[in-house]
């Protein structure tokens, strides 16, 4: 039932504060994450982990890409991320004491399942599924599971599944950091308290819907777009580009902002809007110079930035001010306006938002 919403996708976007809260429920203690949420014996197992291999497809792969930044920076664990359709068909050199992590909304994606089955005898320490469906092949066949509590996702374009995957992956990062004693307890406590406030921040981002709808109108007659991000916001840009292609059929490509001058800048002109996710961190100054490169070529910029980032609206720059949030949780917050943007562009274009052409909700065949 879509309730008051015009599409399932919009309903599911607006459910995010609630399902994120549900995904955190019972998994946070006093100033620390509860590692047992991953199952009995998880703490002992995690203490032995020296490497993480993540495998997933599509949107779930983008969640894994964000997690790599978190795992390496916060928990000090080396991490590789690969799309399942590649991983399953190649000979992988398995790192010692490596945890195999699969991420999937449905738990039935053929490539992800095949990758897990290949991994079984490959010498991983254990397999962990981050999944939204309790009764699924992926959960059944993995050693450990952490369920995302997104509830049924009807819209083909994944929204609330992605943000709850990110929350689950942050819990994994904190758990590995705690069990391996590689994450400062004060930092863990700080992140735990920020996680508790996250649903409220997501609600604030959703309240900007009308502003984003105005921005979306500008895209209705465009055929190409670039999405830029740096650090953990690069996979967020990838996810934003995927959403736009899927439901509005506008060609969208994501680049790490620093790659712009290594090729894609040649494409930029007044018909090619450039969407940038720019949180307030040490990378913002670098991003500012990327933005100037785009402006110098007549490119139209749409910038989602922290209110404290010191960016200004101007000729050719549409700035959307985002609530302030820590760098660590920024990828979750900045996903929201990109989801709303692609939703509204699709509505302006009159495409079938919930059932995009050529796509199926669950890809159970190769
Ligand atoms: C994009 C989308 C797909 C899925 C992908 C993996 O909006 O929904 O890219 O993310 O097919 O599906 P799951 O997560 O079910 O394995």
């Amino acid at each position: 039932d879509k309730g008051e919403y015009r599409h399932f996708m919009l309903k599911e976007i607006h459910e995010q504060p609630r399902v994120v809260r549900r995904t955190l429920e019972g998994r946070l203690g006093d100033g620390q994450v509860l590692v047992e949420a991953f199952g009995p014996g998880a703490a002992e197992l995690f203490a032995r982990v020296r490497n993480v291999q993540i495998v997933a497809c599509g949107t779930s792969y983008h969640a894994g890409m964000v997690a790599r930044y978190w795992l390496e920076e916060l928990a000090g664990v080396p991490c590789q991320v690969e799309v399942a359709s590649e991983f399953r068909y190649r000979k992988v050199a398995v790192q010692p004491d490596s945890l195999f992590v699969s991420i999937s909304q449905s738990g039935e994606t053929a490539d992800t399942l095949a990758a897990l089955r290949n991994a079984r005898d490959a010498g991983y320490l254990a397999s962990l599924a981050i999944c939204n469906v309790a009764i699924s092949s992926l959960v059944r066949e993995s050693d450990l599971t952490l369920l995302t509590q997104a509830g049924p996702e009807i819209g083909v374009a994944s929204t609330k599944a992605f943000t709850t995957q990110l929350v689950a992956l942050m819990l994994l990062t904190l758990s590995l950091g705690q069990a391996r004693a590689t994450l400062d307890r004060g930092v863990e406590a700080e992140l735990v308290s920020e996680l508790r406030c996250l649903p409220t921040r997501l609600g604030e981002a959703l309240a900007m819907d009308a502003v984003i709808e105005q921005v979306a109108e500008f895209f209705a007659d465009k055929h190409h777009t670039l999405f830029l991000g740096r650090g953990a916001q690069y996979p967020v840009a990838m996810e934003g580009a995927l959403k736009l292609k899927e439901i509005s059929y506008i060609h969208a490509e994501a680049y790490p902002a620093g790659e712009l001058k290594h090729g894609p800048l040649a494409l930029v002109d007044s018909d090619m809007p450039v969407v940038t996710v720019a949180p307030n961190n040490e990378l913002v100054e670098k991003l500012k110079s990327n933005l100037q490169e785009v402006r110098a070529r007549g490119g139209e910029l749409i910038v989602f930035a922290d209110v404290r980032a010191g960016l200004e609206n101007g000729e050719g720059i549409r700035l959307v001010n985002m609530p302030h949030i820590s760098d660590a949780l920024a990828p979750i917050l900045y996903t929201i306006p990109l989801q709303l943007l692609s939703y509204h562009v699709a509505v302006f274009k009159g495409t079938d938002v919930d059932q995009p052409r050529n796509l199926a909700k669950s890809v159970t065949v190769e």
Side-chain angles (χ1 to χ4, degrees):
D1 180 19
K2 293 195 282 255
E4 61 188 288
Y5 296 101
R6 188 165 160 198
H7 296 98
F8 279 108
M9 183 182 178
L10 188 61
K11 173 174 178 263
E12 289 164 1
I13 288 173
H14 280 274
E15 278 171 6
Q16 288 174 113
R18 191 156 51 84
V19 295
V20 159
R21 182 167 285 126
R22 211 155 62 195
T23 301
L24 290 169
E25 233 160 57
R27 293 167 173 174
L28 298 178
D30 191 10
Q32 58 171 9
V33 63
L34 301 175
V35 183
E36 313 90 84
F38 289 85
E44 292 73 27
L45 177 75
F46 285 178
R48 291 166 54 204
V49 169
R50 285 198 288 154
N51 184 74
V52 173
Q53 170 71 60
I54 299 179
V55 171
C57 300
T59 290
S60 300
Y61 167 69
H62 295 154
M65 295 266 300
V66 173
R68 180 163 68 97
Y69 288 88
W70 289 341
L71 286 163
E72 299 216 348
E73 185 173 330
L74 296 169
V77 196
C79 174
Q80 303 85 46
V81 191
E82 191 164 351
V83 286
S85 55
E86 285 298 314
F87 182 89
R88 66 176 290 194
Y89 286 120
R90 70 183 186 90
K91 174 86 183 77
V92 175
V94 180
Q95 301 280 340
D97 299 318
S98 188
L99 178 69
F100 180 90
V101 178
S102 62
I103 310 170
S104 174
Q105 188 285 125
S106 63
E108 302 296 345
T109 300
D111 286 324
T112 308
L113 261 176
L116 170 65
R117 288 172 184 155
N118 290 354
R120 202 170 294 150
D121 305 313
Y124 288 96
L125 209 50
S127 58
L128 163 68
I130 291 184
C131 188
N132 196 40
V133 180
I135 311 167
S136 61
S137 308
L138 203 69
V139 167
R140 204 165 41 241
E141 297 184 29
S142 297
D143 301 321
L144 301 172
T145 299
L146 191 72
L147 291 175
T148 49
Q149 302 287 0
E153 193 179 59
I154 310 295
V156 165
S158 189
T159 53
K160 61 177 180 169
F162 180 67
T163 43
T164 53
Q165 283 167 348
L166 290 178
V167 167
L169 288 160
M170 179 51 86
L171 294 174
L172 175 64
T173 303
L174 298 180
S175 296
L176 282 169
Q178 186 191 113
R180 290 160 30 90
T182 44
L183 176 64
D184 180 81
R185 299 308 293 245
V187 175
E188 181 182 358
E190 181 63 38
L191 285 165
V192 163
S193 92
E194 277 167 19
L195 277 170
R196 288 209 170 91
C197 301
L198 181 61
T200 308
R201 294 287 93 75
L202 297 182
E204 290 163 11
L206 287 167
M208 294 160 37
D209 198 5
V211 177
I212 294 165
E213 186 174 8
Q214 278 177 5
V215 174
E217 204 171 351
F218 170 73
F219 286 76
D221 64 344
K222 299 291 184 289
H223 300 286
H224 306 276
T225 57
L226 277 182
F227 282 71
L228 302 180
R230 276 181 180 269
Q233 298 283 29
Y234 165 48
V236 171
M238 294 171 80
E239 174 58 12
L242 179 63
K243 287 290 90 92
L244 192 69
K245 320 183 217 212
E246 277 185 295
I247 61 167
S248 74
Y249 315 145
I250 294 176
H251 171 218
E253 274 193 87
Y255 276 94
E259 276 293 290
L260 191 62
K261 58 171 86 62
H262 298 286
L265 195 56
L267 292 170
V268 172
D269 63 16
S270 56
D271 283 329
M272 178 118 166
V274 179
V275 179
T276 304
V277 272
N280 183 22
N281 62 18
E282 73 239 26
L283 299 175
V284 97
E285 285 307 318
K286 290 205 165 136
L287 201 62
K288 281 182 191 165
S289 73
N290 295 142
L291 300 185
Q292 272 159 15
E293 288 161 0
V294 171
R295 272 313 295 150
R297 275 103 193 148
E300 296 280 338
L301 281 163
I302 295 84
V303 182
F304 296 92
D306 193 298
V307 278
R308 302 184 192 171
L311 294 173
E312 277 165 26
N313 244 316
E315 176 73 17
I317 301 186
R318 273 157 238 246
L319 180 67
V320 180
N321 273 321
M322 297 289 295
H324 177 67
I325 190 147
S326 70
D327 288 348
L329 298 189
I332 310 179
L333 185 77
Y334 280 76
T335 296
I336 304 271
L338 299 187
Q339 293 170 342
L340 287 170
L341 179 69
S342 56
Y343 172 76
H344 287 298
V345 174
V347 170
F348 275 122
K349 293 196 68 178
T351 55
D352 188 344
V353 171
D354 285 332
Q355 284 288 330
R357 65 189 184 198
N358 311 340
L359 299 179
K361 182 67 188 160
S362 190
V363 186
T364 53
V365 291
E366 245 189 275

